[in-house]
Amino acid sequence: MKPPVFSPLEKDCLAWLTHRIGSYRNIGRGLLVCITIALATTFIADHYGGPTLLYALLFGMSLHFLSDEGRCREGIEFAARTVLRLGVALLGARMTFEQVGDLGIGPVVTVIGSVAFVIVAGAVMARLLGLPRDLGLLTGGAVGICGASAALALSAVMPRHENSERNTILTVVGVTTLSTVAMVVYPLIASVLELANTQAGIFLGGTIHDVAQVVGAGYMISDETGDTSTLVKLVRVAMLVPVVMVFIWLFRSSRQAEGDNAKVPMLPSFLVGFVVLVVINSLGLIPETVSDGMSTLSRWCLVTAIAALGIKTSFHKLAVVGWKPVILMVLETLLLLFVVLGVVMFAGLGI
């Protein structure tokens, strides 16, 4: 039996199809590793407590050798970029414009002012500590907006260099750890200062980094505090949109210097998705069950992306950085604490 004879066009189509199948297979291997880590760390966090994102980072870092292994590399890169951006976009399903309006102008202005202040202060303090301005902006954005999620979103539009991923991992580890500490300590501060439920909610939502820790801290005090802190936190999450746009403009020349392929569009797809979901949710077009499902999917995407970033980073690379980035994030956290707490107490917010 004679072998089939293919035309040049058919050969090109077969070659393209073979290449795509091989590419999907490679993506699948690495992505499956990241999903497995996400499943394992979520199980541990749900049953034994602790921050899921931090567990995913540490588990991923223990498998760093896979980042040098050709069969998994493509899937790990896919999780660290595409899955990450999907997770950030789906955060928009958590909030509506009506929720923001219910807070009143005071908390909204406080959030906007404190976020801008911490980001600028982060850049200044980074230079004073002898650190790159980029790291100060990244950590300031993560502390000011929404912790690990903001760090991942902002790093996606910042220029790439040899320390980019290391800085992102450092920021995620730092803000996740500080957020967990704040979840325990800040409710005690609110109790000692005898803040009213609404005041405590504004304080917790305006200062704690990650959404999960804000919810946990708020409902430790009361249901009213939990509801208020969650709404204030969602306003901080919404600040991700203008801050990402500012970062795109700020780093436009740096990214253009990397070449045409490295340019970021004026409106990144994940940012468009975030805004669109907020608008659709504000119009009441997303059923509550669907919104909850999208929030859950967002959480899984972010945990999977964190696992991928962990795999791409080694303990050795983190060890050579020193304590200055840690000091920077602690200072930013304390600055945000004093600013928001001062406004709550002396401006009479929530009374």
Side-chain angles (χ1 to χ4, degrees):
M1 181 171 146
K2 293 182 179 181
V5 178
F6 298 105
S7 66
L9 178 60
E10 290 173 330
K11 289 180 180 178
D12 290 341
C13 290
L14 285 172
W16 178 85
L17 184 60
T18 302
H19 172 73
R20 298 309 302 174
I21 291 174
S23 177
Y24 292 140
R25 185 183 294 116
N26 290 336
I27 290 176
R29 290 193 189 102
L31 183 60
L32 183 60
V33 171
C34 298
I35 292 174
T36 302
I37 294 173
L39 289 169
T41 53
T42 300
F43 176 85
I44 293 172
D46 289 346
H47 287 78
Y48 301 101
T52 306
L53 292 178
L54 187 57
Y55 289 157
L57 266 176
L58 296 177
F59 271 59
M61 291 166 70
S62 68
L63 298 175
H64 172 66
F65 67 91
L66 291 176
S67 64
D68 299 323
E69 207 280 321
R71 291 176 297 177
C72 294
R73 187 186 302 125
E74 196 171 345
I76 293 169
E77 290 287 346
F78 178 83
R81 294 182 65 84
T82 305
V83 175
L84 159 63
R85 296 183 180 203
L86 175 61
V88 173
L90 290 174
L91 288 173
R94 296 185 181 187
M95 66 176 301
T96 65
F97 295 123
E98 183 181 0
Q99 291 173 329
V100 177
D102 289 342
L103 285 175
I105 190 65
V108 173
V109 171
T110 300
V111 166
I112 295 173
S114 61
V115 168
F117 183 63
V118 169
I119 293 175
V120 173
V124 173
M125 289 189 292
R127 298 307 296 268
L128 292 176
L129 289 169
L131 296 170
R133 183 193 64 160
D134 293 10
L135 180 60
L137 291 171
L138 179 63
T139 56
V143 168
I145 302 173
C146 55
S149 301
L152 296 172
L154 294 174
S155 66
V157 298
M158 294 177 75
R160 313 298 295 177
H161 51 78
E162 59 180 356
N163 294 326
S164 296
E165 290 166 358
R166 185 190 68 185
N167 290 344
T168 302
I169 289 294
L170 276 171
T171 304
V172 170
V173 171
V175 295
T176 302
T177 303
L178 290 169
S179 186
T180 303
V181 173
M183 182 180 66
V184 177
V185 175
Y186 286 11
L188 297 177
I189 295 175
S191 177
V192 169
L193 296 176
E194 298 181 347
L195 299 179
N197 286 332
T198 303
Q199 283 184 304
I202 296 172
F203 164 55
L204 297 176
T207 53
I208 299 178
H209 310 327
D210 289 315
V211 176
Q213 279 84 342
V214 168
V215 174
Y219 286 105
M220 282 183 192
I221 298 177
S222 69
D223 288 345
E224 182 181 354
T225 300
D227 292 342
T228 303
S229 63
T230 302
L231 286 177
V232 173
K233 184 61 187 177
L234 290 177
V235 175
R236 287 173 68 192
V237 172
M239 286 295 294
L240 191 61
V241 176
V243 172
V244 166
M245 296 302 297
V246 170
F247 272 44
I248 292 174
W249 176 82
L250 190 63
F251 293 109
R252 66 193 186 286
S253 58
S254 299
R255 296 199 63 94
Q256 287 172 358
E258 296 176 5
D260 292 338
N261 293 332
K263 291 180 181 178
V264 176
M266 280 307 297
L267 215 57
S269 57
F270 73 90
L271 195 58
V272 174
F274 181 95
V275 175
V276 168
L277 284 176
V278 172
V279 172
I280 294 175
N281 201 29
S282 299
L283 295 174
L285 301 179
I286 303 179
E288 184 176 353
T289 53
V290 176
S291 178
D292 291 342
M294 295 175 78
S295 296
T296 301
L297 179 59
S298 171
R299 174 174 170 269
W300 278 105
C301 286
L302 293 176
V303 176
T304 301
I306 283 285
L309 287 172
I311 293 173
K312 295 175 67 177
T313 304
S314 67
F315 286 107
H316 174 71
K317 290 181 180 179
L318 291 178
V320 299
V321 176
W323 286 97
K324 287 184 179 180
V326 177
I327 294 172
L328 174 63
M329 283 182 275
V330 171
L331 290 175
E332 290 167 344
T333 299
L334 292 175
L335 183 63
L336 181 64
L337 168 65
F338 290 127
V339 168
V340 175
L341 186 58
V343 172
V344 168
M345 293 186 65
F346 298 109
L349 290 183
I351 298 178

